[in-house]
Amino acid sequence: MKSGLRLLSIPALALALMAGVPPVPAQAQLRVEVSGVGSNQIPIAIAGFSNEDLSPQQISQIIRDDLARSGYFRLIDAGTVLSETAPVNFEEWKRKGAEALVVGSVQKLADGRFDVRYKLFDTSKATMLSGFALPTLPTSTRVSAHKIADDVYEKLIGVRGAFATRIAYVTKSGGEYRLVVADSDGYNEVAALRSREPIISPAWTLDGSKVAYVSFEMKKPVVWVQNLLTGERRVVANFKGSNSAPAWSPDGSRLAIALSRDGLTQIYLINADGSGLQKLTSSNAIDTEPQFSADGQYVYFLSDRSGGPQIYRVSVNGGEAKRVTFNGSYNITPRISPDGKTLAYISRREGKFQLYALDLASGQETRLSDTTKDESPSFSPNGRYIMYATETGRQATLAVVSVDGKVRQKLSVQAADIREPTWGPYLK
């Protein structure tokens, strides 16, 4: 192992990622502040779950916190504990102003697991909208709460929530860089990699088992892939010159990367094990920052072939590239929404680097940020939010904005800069 580099012990990392907890007591190193609200907030009451004091985590409070930070719900104080088997007085809840009600219970099973049960009611129609039971390991109660919040979000908003997901980001404190994996709410933080050299461009596989990233531990940018369940890591691109900007294909079988091995930086495809290198673009310009389309048939990338940095698209089989962005003279860092309909990117206009979103069908462009030093956008798995890096004062922080621009979150780590965010897939 190279000097200046430290991995979390493999057993500890594997336990943390499979069980949903770190090897130290769970706490949120990432501080989340919410501003702005979605249009037409839904008033909802989340009652205390029966017997949830048996659980290591308070299920109902995690659900409340999730729905509150989404920006699309207005919490009504339930002031009571209600099991999913108890009768519901719908008129009483309507008088309290709640249009939806969440109730549930926790039971400890003989094998040490917990049986977490929940129901969601529409108080105006006096009907049950959803409900299920989750057999839960003691180490996974937060995940179960996030899954319930995801279901509530889906039944009331129409799109699955993004609470039972993970995020990755890079922090710098003193002379140490850390590649961090955490739950979407900042809890269960694990440092997957520590180094005295920069770490950039982390990218998840869709199954959440691996992360590709660029490390400078060899005194140059090299692409690595790390298995998050075992801690095993391997070099997949260490060619002459710069090796950068890894992006996974949807099936996880290969990566799009940017290499300067032949002079100017161009886009290449390479198998996940580092074999089968294939050159995708051949231009007299700099081509970099590749991203696969949602269906895996195209690669979006940044190029200055038109005189300034713009975003282009090319088939994975090669051929002529098509320009995608035309507004503004400086557009970088393409990211595609999970449904393939929206392109997010950073645009420099009037000296400000800000987050924009482009509807690929209509060509309509929307500015989503009000900050001025934005970088590294990443869509949530449900496509409803975009996380990106920015600066607040002199500190590098993360921000999250809903795709309609209504809801904003600021995410920061005390006494550390935080950059290079990427939103991971759903937890199983």
Side-chain angles (χ1 to χ4, degrees):
M1 189 172 294
K2 294 285 183 180
S3 174
L5 189 70
R6 286 185 289 142
L7 281 170
L8 188 69
S9 68
I10 289 175
L13 179 60
L15 174 64
L17 294 177
M18 288 188 291
V21 294
V24 295
Q27 56 183 333
Q29 301 292 337
L30 196 65
R31 186 171 67 249
V32 181
E33 303 169 26
V34 181
S35 63
V37 296
S39 56
N40 302 318
Q41 277 193 310
I42 298 173
I44 185 171
I46 296 98
F49 279 30
S50 174
N51 296 320
E52 67 180 338
D53 57 328
L54 299 175
S55 167
Q57 307 287 341
Q58 191 177 26
I59 303 293
S60 62
Q61 187 59 52
I62 297 169
I63 298 169
R64 291 187 197 100
D65 292 342
D66 281 348
L67 297 181
R69 66 188 172 89
S70 79
Y72 290 97
F73 296 88
R74 179 166 58 86
L75 297 184
I76 304 296
D77 184 13
T80 188
V81 173
L82 271 181
S83 167
E84 81 287 352
T85 60
V88 177
N89 185 333
F90 292 105
E91 289 301 321
E92 178 184 353
W93 290 105
K94 283 195 291 185
R95 285 195 298 270
K96 290 184 176 182
E99 295 179 6
L101 171 67
V102 172
V103 299
S105 66
V106 177
Q107 298 180 29
K108 192 166 186 177
L109 303 176
D111 61 4
R113 294 181 302 165
F114 293 95
D115 184 28
V116 179
R117 296 175 177 266
Y118 118 97
K119 287 181 181 178
L120 171 66
F121 293 99
D122 181 325
T123 60
S124 61
K125 296 181 179 178
T127 58
M128 188 179 85
L129 298 176
S130 188
F132 51 71
L134 288 170
T136 302
L137 291 170
T139 52
S140 299
T141 50
R142 291 195 67 87
V143 175
S144 293
H146 292 321
K147 288 181 177 180
I148 292 172
D150 279 346
D151 187 67
V152 172
Y153 190 102
E154 180 176 6
K155 297 304 184 296
L156 298 180
I157 302 295
V159 179
R160 185 180 180 183
F163 308 115
T165 58
R166 282 200 172 95
I167 58 176
Y169 49 90
V170 176
T171 64
K172 182 185 178 185
S173 180
E176 183 181 67
Y177 295 85
R178 300 166 71 238
L179 174 61
V180 175
V181 175
D183 289 356
S184 65
D185 60 356
Y187 280 79
N188 295 336
E189 180 191 83
V190 175
L193 182 68
R194 300 172 186 263
S195 177
R196 287 191 290 271
E197 301 297 334
I199 305 165
I200 62 173
S201 304
W204 294 87
T205 52
L206 281 182
D207 66 1
S209 65
K210 301 181 184 70
V211 172
Y213 52 84
V214 175
S215 171
F216 285 72
E217 66 201 72
M218 295 181 177
K219 306 305 178 183
K220 60 175 284 188
V222 174
V223 177
W224 294 74
V225 169
Q226 182 167 332
N227 186 314
L228 291 176
L229 298 180
T230 66
E232 179 186 3
R233 59 197 295 263
R234 63 182 300 171
V235 172
V236 295
N238 182 17
F239 299 98
K240 177 184 176 181
S242 175
N243 307 262
S244 62
W248 289 99
S249 63
D251 64 2
S253 65
R254 55 184 176 170
L255 291 155
I257 55 178
L259 304 178
S260 65
R261 56 178 299 193
D262 297 324
L264 289 175
T265 300
Q266 298 290 290
I267 306 301
Y268 291 76
L269 300 179
I270 194 169
N271 293 332
D273 62 1
S275 66
L277 184 67
Q278 171 192 349
K279 193 172 187 179
L280 186 60
T281 66
S282 297
S283 73
N284 294 320
I286 295 174
D287 297 343
T288 187
E289 296 188 348
Q291 285 286 306
F292 279 93
S293 62
D295 61 8
Q297 297 304 303
Y298 296 91
V299 171
Y300 289 81
F301 65 98
L302 164 66
S303 178
D304 64 354
R305 61 184 65 190
S306 61
Q310 296 291 342
I311 295 167
Y312 291 77
R313 187 184 78 171
V314 66
S315 168
V316 293
N317 299 314
E320 184 179 356
K322 177 183 178 182
R323 184 171 167 177
V324 178
T325 55
F326 293 90
N327 296 327
S329 61
Y330 190 104
N331 297 302
I332 62 174
T333 321
R335 297 293 185 267
I336 301 296
S337 62
D339 63 7
K341 296 180 179 180
T342 305
L343 173 71
Y345 51 95
I346 304 300
S347 185
R348 185 186 68 189
R349 303 182 193 183
E350 298 179 350
K352 301 175 182 178
F353 291 84
Q354 295 183 303
L355 175 65
Y356 282 76
L358 178 69
D359 185 298
L360 292 172
S362 68
Q364 181 177 352
E365 183 188 57
T366 305
R367 180 173 61 84
L368 293 177
S369 72
D370 55 8
T371 41
T372 60
K373 296 181 179 180
D374 304 339
E375 58 186 48
S376 307
S378 178
F379 276 95
S380 62
N382 65 358
R384 296 280 297 197
Y385 301 89
I386 302 173
M387 180 182 295
Y388 60 99
T390 189
E391 286 190 15
T392 303
R394 295 185 177 180
Q395 185 179 18
T397 62
L398 303 185
V400 175
V401 62
S402 57
V403 291
D404 62 5
K406 301 287 187 181
V407 181
R408 301 181 186 278
Q409 300 175 13
K410 173 188 169 184
L411 301 87
S412 59
V413 174
Q414 186 174 6
D417 282 340
I418 176 170
R419 296 185 185 275
E420 304 288 338
T422 180
W423 211 313
Y426 287 101
L427 295 163
K428 296 180 180 179

